[in-house]
C-alpha cells in the first residue's frame, strides 16, 4: 500500500506523487500502491538516506535542478538496492559512475520508440513515448531512435537505470503505449520505493555551490556605495526644472481625409502594393454589402452575386475585377478607378 506520504494534499512540483497535473506522477504512485509497493517521499537528503538504509529499497531520483553534489549522489547510490534516475544532468550522471554517458536528444521524428534491446523490462513494456526525451550511451541501451544511444540505459550489473524522459512516468502519458508497464516494472521490483525529488532545502546539505559573497571579487564591496553616489548625482542632475510646463489642448481633431492621405503616403513610401490592394478591396466589399443590405454575415461571393443581379451583369466579370491582384503602382491606380466606377454604378441604382 502507499505510505502516509501520499496524503491528499496536492502540489505543482514536476513528477511529484502529490501532483495530479499532467506533469505530476500521482497516477503512477497510486498504481504502484495497488501492486503492494510502499512509496516513501522524503523531503530532505538525510531522510532519503534513512529510508533507503531501513529496508531493501528502490530509489527514484529526479534532480532536475542539479542540486545534489557528487558525495550525496554516491551515498544514495550505495544505500539503494536499485537506482532509477530520470533525465539526470551531466554532473549527476558523472557522479553515478555507472559508465553511462549523455548522447543528445531523441529526434523530433521519433514520437514512439521501440525497445530494440534484450533488457527484460523494456521487452515486456514494448513501445513508449519518445517525444522530448534524452538518449544515453553505455551499458545496455534501449529505445534507440538512431545509432547506439537509447532513451533507457541500464548498467551492466542492473543496479542503475537511467531514463531520459519524465513524460513516460507522468500523468499525461502514463496510459499511452507501454509507458505504465515500463514504469511499474522498473519501480515495482522492491516492496519499498523511495521517491526522492531534491529541493532547495538540500542545497545546504549538498555544499555543491558557493554564495554570491564567495563568488564576488574583493573590490565588489566598494561597488555598492559608489553606485549609490552615482545614483544620487543622477537624480540631482536630471531633477532640475528646465522651465514651465507647456500645456496643449486635447483632444486633437484630425479630419478623416487627412488620415486617409497619410496612410496612402505610408503605403506609397514603403511600396506596400499588396496592403493597399487588400484595403481597397475590403472597403469596397463592406460598402457594397451595406448598400445591398446583405447584413454583417455576407461573404465576398454573396456581395458579388448581389451586385451582378442589381446591375444585370455577369458575376464572373465582377469577380475577376474585384479579385485582380495589381503588381505595379500604375496598375493599382487604374484598378482602384475601375472599383470606384463599379461602386458608383451600384450606389446610383
Amino acid at each position: 500500500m502507499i505510505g502516509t506520504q501520499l496524503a491528499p494534499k496536492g502540489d505543482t512540483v514536476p513528477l511529484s506523487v502529490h501532483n495530479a497535473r499532467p506533469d505530476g506522477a500521482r497516477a503512477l504512485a497510486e498504481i504502484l500502491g495497488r501492486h503492494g509497493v510502499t512509496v516513501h517521499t522524503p523531503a530532505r537528503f538525510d531522510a532519503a538516506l534513512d529510508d533507503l538504509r531501513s529496508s531493501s529499497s528502490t530509489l527514484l531520483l529526479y534532480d532536475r535542478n542539479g542540486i545534489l553534489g557528487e558525495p550525496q549522489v554516491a551515498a544514495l547510490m550505495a544505500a539503494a538496492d536499485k537506482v532509477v534516475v530520470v533525465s539526470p544532468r551531466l554532473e549527476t550522471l558523472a557522479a553515478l559512475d555507472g559508465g553511462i554517458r549523455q548522447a543528445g536528444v531523441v529526434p523530433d521524428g521519433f514520437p514512439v520508440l521501440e525497445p530494440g534491446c534484450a533488457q527484460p523490462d523494456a521487452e515486456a513494456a514494448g513501445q513508449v513515448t519518445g517525444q522530448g526525451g534524452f538518449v544515453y550511451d553505455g551499458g545496455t541501451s534501449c529505445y534507440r531512435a538512431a545509432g547506439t544511444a537509447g532513451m533507457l540505459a541500464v548498467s551492466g550489473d542492473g543496479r542503475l537505470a537511467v531514463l531520459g524522459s519524465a513524460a513516460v512516468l507522468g500523468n499525461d502519458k502514463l496510459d499511452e503505449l507501454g509507458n505504465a508497464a515500463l514504469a511499474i516494472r522498473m519501480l515495482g521490483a522492491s516492496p519499498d520505493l523511495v521517491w526522492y525529488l531534491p529541493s532547495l532545502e538540500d542545497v545546504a546539505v549538498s555544499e555543491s555551490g558557493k554564495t554570491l559573497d564567495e563568488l564576488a571579487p574583493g573590490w565588489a564591496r566598494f561597488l555598492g556605495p559608489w553606485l549609490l553616489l552615482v545614483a544620487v548625482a543622477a537624480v540631482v542632475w536630471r531633477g532640475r526644472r528646465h522651465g514651465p510646463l507647456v500645456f496643449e489642448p486635447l483632444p486633437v481633431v484630425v479630419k478623416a481625409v487627412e488620415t486617409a492621405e497619410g496612410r496612402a503616403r505610408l503605403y506609397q513610401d514603403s511600396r506596400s502594393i499588396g496592403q493597399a490592394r487588400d484595403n481597397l478591396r475590403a472597403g469596397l466589399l463592406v460598402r457594397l454589402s451595406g448598400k445591398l443590405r446583405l447584413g454583417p454575415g455576407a461573404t465576398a461571393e454573396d456581395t458579388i452575386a448581389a451586385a451582378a443581379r442589381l446591375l444585370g451583369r455577369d458575376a464572373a466579370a465582377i469577380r475577376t475585377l474585384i479579385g485582380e491582384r495589381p503588381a505595379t503602382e500604375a496598375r493599382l491606380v487604374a484598378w482602384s478607378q475601375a472599383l470606384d466606377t463599379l461602386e458608383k454604378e451600384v450606389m446610383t441604382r
Side-chain angles (χ1 to χ4, degrees), residues 304-327:
I304 291 172
R309 289 194 300 270
L310 178 65
L311 299 176
R313 293 169 54 180
D314 184 13
I318 297 178
R319 185 182 304 106
T320 301
L321 173 62
I322 294 178
E324 184 179 343
R325 305 179 66 84

Side-chain angles (χ1 to χ4, degrees), residues 31 111-113 125-131 167-183:
I31 294 173
V112 176
L113 296 178
Q127 296 178 333
V128 299
T129 300
Q131 187 174 7
V168 173
L169 310 179
N171 298 325
D172 188 37
K173 304 289 185 182
L174 189 63
D175 61 343
E176 297 181 6
L177 305 172
N179 294 343
L182 179 64

Side-chain angles (χ1 to χ4, degrees), residues 2-3 219 258 293 319 333:
I2 303 178
W219 52 265
E258 295 180 5
R293 300 180 180 179
R319 185 182 304 106
V333 172

Side-chain angles (χ1 to χ4, degrees), residues 51-64:
D51 288 338
L52 290 172
R53 290 168 178 167
S54 63
S55 62
S56 299
S57 303
T58 297
L59 169 67
L60 179 135
L61 176 63
Y62 182 41
D63 189 6
R64 61 192 182 99

